[in-house]
Amino acid sequence: MNTNGIADAYASQIAANDKTKPAAKTSKTYGKQIGNPQLSEKAQKYYEKLKKKYSNMDFILVSADQKEQAEANAAKYGSNKSLLVLIDDEKIEKMAEDESYRKKYEGILDKATTQFAQMRDSLGSNADSVKAFGMKFDDYGNASFFAVVDKSLSAQKDRIQQKHDQKIADKKAADKKAEQKAKQDKIMEKHTSRKEDLVNVEASSWDELLQKINETVAMGRSDMIQSQAETYVGQQFDYTI
């Protein structure tokens, strides 16, 4: 009886079974992450290459059970200088294994590099009111874009400008009326001290995101005007004294 042949056949069968087994995943730190994402060794290597390839973006790896949590708290993780990319471990795993799937997602990232820069330029000074820019992917390969806007920042900028203009006016008119007006401004400023007023806006395109950011910033300015008007309610100042 040829036992060597049986042993060889058994070894071949084991090797074949090993190839059909899914790659083992491990829990470790993959840079910035949310939750407890797990990647196979192959996916880990691919993810490191992906981050190097798009080093101008800020990747955060998210475990599948923390997707909603990550999106809700994007302001904590992102900035208005770079594009935050929220991507879950399941997609990285598939990108590492499936070439066509990988090309589709990397193609979106390629375009985002240019489109993000163009949108920031189009925002002009309104970009200063954004705390974080980001993008994410759904399970069907579609990208969506989001921003966290602090409406109070746009209002603060207007108050600073108004205060500057008032100082110039005070220097030109150092009379009792101007002095009383300056006192009124101080009272008004106490009522309108800045607190973060964060608004999450989401869009399916960069153009739509640009429009929504501008609308949100404008809303913050109109809220400030209304707040200023409210400070006058019940108050009277006699400038003739």
Side-chain angles (χ1 to χ4, degrees):
M1 183 175 180
N2 186 355
T3 56
N4 288 337
I6 295 174
D8 290 342
Y10 181 68
S12 298
Q13 184 62 43
I14 292 176
N17 289 339
D18 287 342
K19 289 182 179 179
T20 59
K21 289 181 181 178
K25 296 182 181 180
T26 59
S27 296
K28 58 174 291 184
T29 300
Y30 306 102
K32 293 182 180 179
Q33 63 183 56
I34 300 172
N36 186 32
Q38 298 183 17
L39 296 176
S40 65
E41 185 177 351
K42 183 176 182 179
Q44 290 176 36
K45 291 179 179 178
Y46 167 71
Y47 185 51
E48 291 305 315
K49 289 181 181 178
L50 185 71
K51 289 190 292 184
K52 288 180 181 178
K53 182 175 181 179
Y54 300 100
S55 58
N56 59 323
M57 298 181 181
D58 194 6
F59 284 85
I60 296 185
L61 188 65
V62 184
S63 56
D65 63 326
Q66 293 291 318
K67 290 180 187 178
E68 293 184 5
Q69 175 80 7
E71 293 166 14
N73 294 285
K76 295 180 180 179
Y77 314 117
S79 76
N80 69 349
K81 302 301 181 185
S82 59
L83 182 64
L84 175 68
V85 181
L86 296 176
I87 192 161
D88 62 82
D89 49 5
E90 293 176 348
K91 289 184 179 62
I92 292 295
E93 201 70 47
K94 191 170 181 180
M95 290 169 77
E97 294 290 342
D98 187 330
E99 184 178 357
S100 60
Y101 189 83
R102 176 170 65 250
K103 285 182 177 179
K104 180 176 183 177
Y105 278 90
E106 288 193 7
I108 296 172
L109 291 171
D110 285 337
K111 292 179 181 178
T113 301
T114 302
Q115 292 168 328
F116 171 61
Q118 291 174 343
M119 190 199 66
R120 282 193 92 260
D121 289 342
S122 298
L123 280 171
S125 61
N126 282 353
D128 296 335
S129 297
V130 181
K131 295 208 69 174
F133 293 98
M135 66 184 297
K136 58 185 180 179
F137 303 96
D138 65 18
D139 295 332
Y140 305 99
N142 302 310
S144 59
F145 313 96
F146 62 88
V148 181
V149 183
D150 187 351
K151 291 197 302 180
S152 64
L153 284 174
S154 58
Q156 183 191 39
K157 286 175 64 178
D158 287 348
R159 283 197 298 272
I160 291 172
Q161 183 60 47
Q162 289 173 359
K163 189 175 181 180
H164 175 71
D165 293 343
Q166 184 60 50
K167 285 182 178 179
I168 295 175
D170 288 346
K171 288 180 180 179
K172 292 180 179 179
D175 54 16
K176 193 68 175 180
K177 184 175 180 179
E179 184 180 339
Q180 291 293 335
K181 183 67 169 64
K183 289 180 181 179
Q184 179 242 324
D185 284 345
K186 288 182 181 180
I187 294 172
M188 182 181 68
E189 190 172 353
K190 289 180 181 179
H191 284 275
T192 57
S193 57
R194 191 180 87 82
K195 293 182 180 178
E196 284 190 337
D197 186 5
L198 302 182
V199 178
N200 291 339
V201 295
E202 189 170 333
S204 58
S205 70
W206 290 106
D207 287 338
E208 183 186 2
L209 186 66
L210 172 66
Q211 178 182 348
K212 286 187 174 182
I213 291 172
N214 283 331
E215 288 173 352
T216 304
V217 172
M219 190 187 308
R221 289 198 174 101
S222 22
D223 287 349
M224 185 206 70
I225 293 172
Q226 182 178 1
S227 296
Q228 286 183 347
E230 290 171 354
T231 64
Y232 290 103
V233 177
Q235 298 182 34
Q236 292 184 350
F237 296 91
D238 185 357
Y239 298 124
T240 63
I241 297 174

